[in-house]
């Protein structure tokens, strides 16, 4: 089994109830090594009961890149006064003995993760426990043509982090590279609901759709001749665009779809525009083909 990341610290080492007596040791001193997230709460505080467990989950997911101290303000009034805690829940992130970030009130899980990622980044840590580096390695393997090996790495990542959207998307790309469309669909169907709308997985959906089209695409040479013989044959132009994409000629496919849209944007219930968006979704957002294609499409839409 591929070894990935760091050994996850026991919850007791990551999350502690901290009093005034040990605040200096568990927060100020401990933050010299890794950031310490301090949750100021009270038993009578309703929002605290919502925030606390969600914050603990986010800290645990950071795999030791941060620690958490829970401070009951009713029992630590001196500390609360020194830090000017005026309402609860209040959360501060300490690093090198000093508060570096914070917020008040309960936040949704996505914002809690963003907060912790920001704190970890400020301290030069890695909230993924090394998994982000493993994902990058697998993606590089896939780009170099080692799809089967890359799939093994993505699978190992998912064993450690079953909600890793990038690893799921990578698995889909591996199976598509191996020509196994049904297996790629099976991977996507197994994605946990809570991450199903992640951008990487939306892109994976688009890649599968395009792969299905590619399996039915006609020969490029014949379709090219058909379009040249009758430039107004929009179905032939659409079919040619699909064939070109299947042949790896993405830019040429986009150009033909743009030409089709220019000729008749409503043809086949806006099929050219829909196909363009499917291709754009399947590619990286900063791909020159996407940037140029979106610019040209926008200029035609708003002309």
């Amino acid at each position: 089994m591929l070894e990935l990341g760091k050994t996850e610290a026991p919850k007791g080492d990551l999350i502690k109830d901290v009093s005034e007596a040990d605040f200096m040791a568990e927060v100020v001193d401990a933050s010299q090594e890794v950031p310490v997230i301090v949750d100021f709460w009270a038993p009578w505080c309703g929002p605290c009961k919502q925030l606390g467990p969600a914050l603990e989950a986010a800290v645990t997911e950071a795999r030791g890149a941060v620690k958490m101290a829970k401070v009951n303000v009713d029992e630590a009034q001196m500390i609360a006064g020194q830090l000017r805690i005026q309402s609860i829940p209040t959360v501060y992130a300490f690093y090198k003995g000093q508060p570096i970030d914070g917020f008040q009130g309960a936040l949704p899980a996505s914002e809690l993760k963003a907060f912790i990622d920001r704190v970890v980044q400020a301290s030069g840590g890695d909230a993924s426990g090394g998994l982000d580096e493993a994902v990058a390695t697998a993606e590089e393997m896939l780009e170099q043509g080692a799809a089967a090996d890359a799939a093994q790495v993505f699978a190992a990542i998912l064993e450690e982090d079953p909600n890793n959207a990038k690893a799921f998307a990578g698995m889909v790309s591996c199976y598509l590279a191996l020509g196994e469309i049904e297996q790629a669909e099976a991977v996507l169907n197994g994605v946990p609901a809570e991450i199903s709308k992640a951008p990487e997985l939306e892109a994976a959906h688009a890649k599968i759709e395009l792969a299905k089209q590619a399996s039915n695409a006609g020969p490029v040479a014949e379709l090219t001749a058909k379009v040249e013989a009758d430039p107004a044959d929009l179905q032939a132009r659409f079919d040619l665009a699909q064939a070109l994409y299947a042949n790896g000629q993405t830019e040429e496919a986009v150009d033909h779809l743009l030409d089709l849209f220019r000729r008749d944007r409503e043809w086949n219930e806006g099929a050219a525009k829909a196909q363009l968006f499917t291709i754009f979704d399947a590619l990286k957002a900063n791909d020159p083909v996407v940037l140029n294609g979106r610019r040209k499409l926008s200029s035609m839409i708003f002309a």
Side-chain angles (χ1 to χ4, degrees), residues 30-96:
S31 71
Q32 298 296 328
E33 296 183 6
V34 297
V36 178
I37 308 293
V38 186
D39 176 20
F40 294 93
W41 69 285
W44 46 264
C45 167
C48 295
K49 296 176 183 178
Q50 174 187 349
L51 176 67
L55 189 56
E56 288 186 29
V59 167
T60 301
E61 288 177 5
R63 300 171 177 269
V66 296
K67 293 183 177 181
M68 178 176 172
K70 301 164 64 178
V71 178
N72 182 341
V73 295
D74 287 350
E75 299 174 355
Q77 295 183 14
M78 184 178 71
I79 295 294
Q82 289 175 342
L83 292 172
R84 299 179 181 178
I85 305 298
Q86 297 179 341
S87 66
I88 54 174
T90 289
V91 174
Y92 280 136
F94 280 76
Y95 184 58
K96 298 297 184 183

Side-chain angles (χ1 to χ4, degrees), residues 160-276:
E160 292 204 21
D161 181 7
N163 284 344
N164 194 305
K166 290 182 179 179
F168 272 111
M171 286 285 284
V172 169
S173 295
C174 287
Y175 284 120
L176 291 179
L178 293 168
E180 300 178 18
I181 298 177
E182 290 185 3
Q183 190 63 38
E185 282 192 290
V187 169
L188 206 52
N189 291 335
V191 168
E194 57 266 34
I195 63 169
S196 61
K197 298 300 181 182
E200 298 89 351
L201 297 173
E202 296 286 356
H205 274 287
K207 289 179 180 179
I208 288 176
E209 177 62 27
L210 291 168
K212 288 180 178 179
Q213 294 175 4
S215 64
N216 297 317
V220 171
E222 290 182 17
L223 289 168
T224 299
K226 196 171 183 181
V227 169
E228 289 177 349
D230 182 7
D233 186 342
L234 301 187
Q235 183 63 58
R237 192 176 293 276
F238 186 82
D239 293 343
L240 175 58
Q242 289 186 332
L244 287 166
Y245 181 88
N247 198 46
Q249 296 171 264
T250 305
E251 186 172 4
E252 290 84 350
V254 167
D255 287 342
H256 276 287
L257 290 168
L258 288 169
D259 190 21
L260 196 164
F261 182 82
R262 179 183 60 80
R263 290 170 182 271
D264 184 354
R265 64 182 61 192
E266 302 301 329
W267 176 80
N268 198 12
E269 298 182 347
K273 182 180 177 183
Q275 184 74 355
L276 282 166

Side-chain angles (χ1 to χ4, degrees), residues 16-34 36 38 67 69 79 94 97:
K16 295 182 179 180
D17 290 304
V18 173
S19 66
E20 286 188 343
D22 56 7
F23 187 89
M24 182 63 69
E26 297 292 351
V27 175
V28 177
D29 293 344
S31 71
Q32 298 296 328
E33 296 183 6
V34 297
V36 178
V38 186
K67 293 183 177 181
I79 295 294
F94 280 76

Side-chain angles (χ1 to χ4, degrees), residues 112-135:
L112 290 178
K113 183 181 185 306
F115 170 74
I116 289 177
D117 287 347
R118 192 165 65 242
V119 169
V120 172
Q121 185 177 12
S123 67
D126 178 6
S128 77
L131 295 185
D132 286 348
E133 183 177 350
V135 168

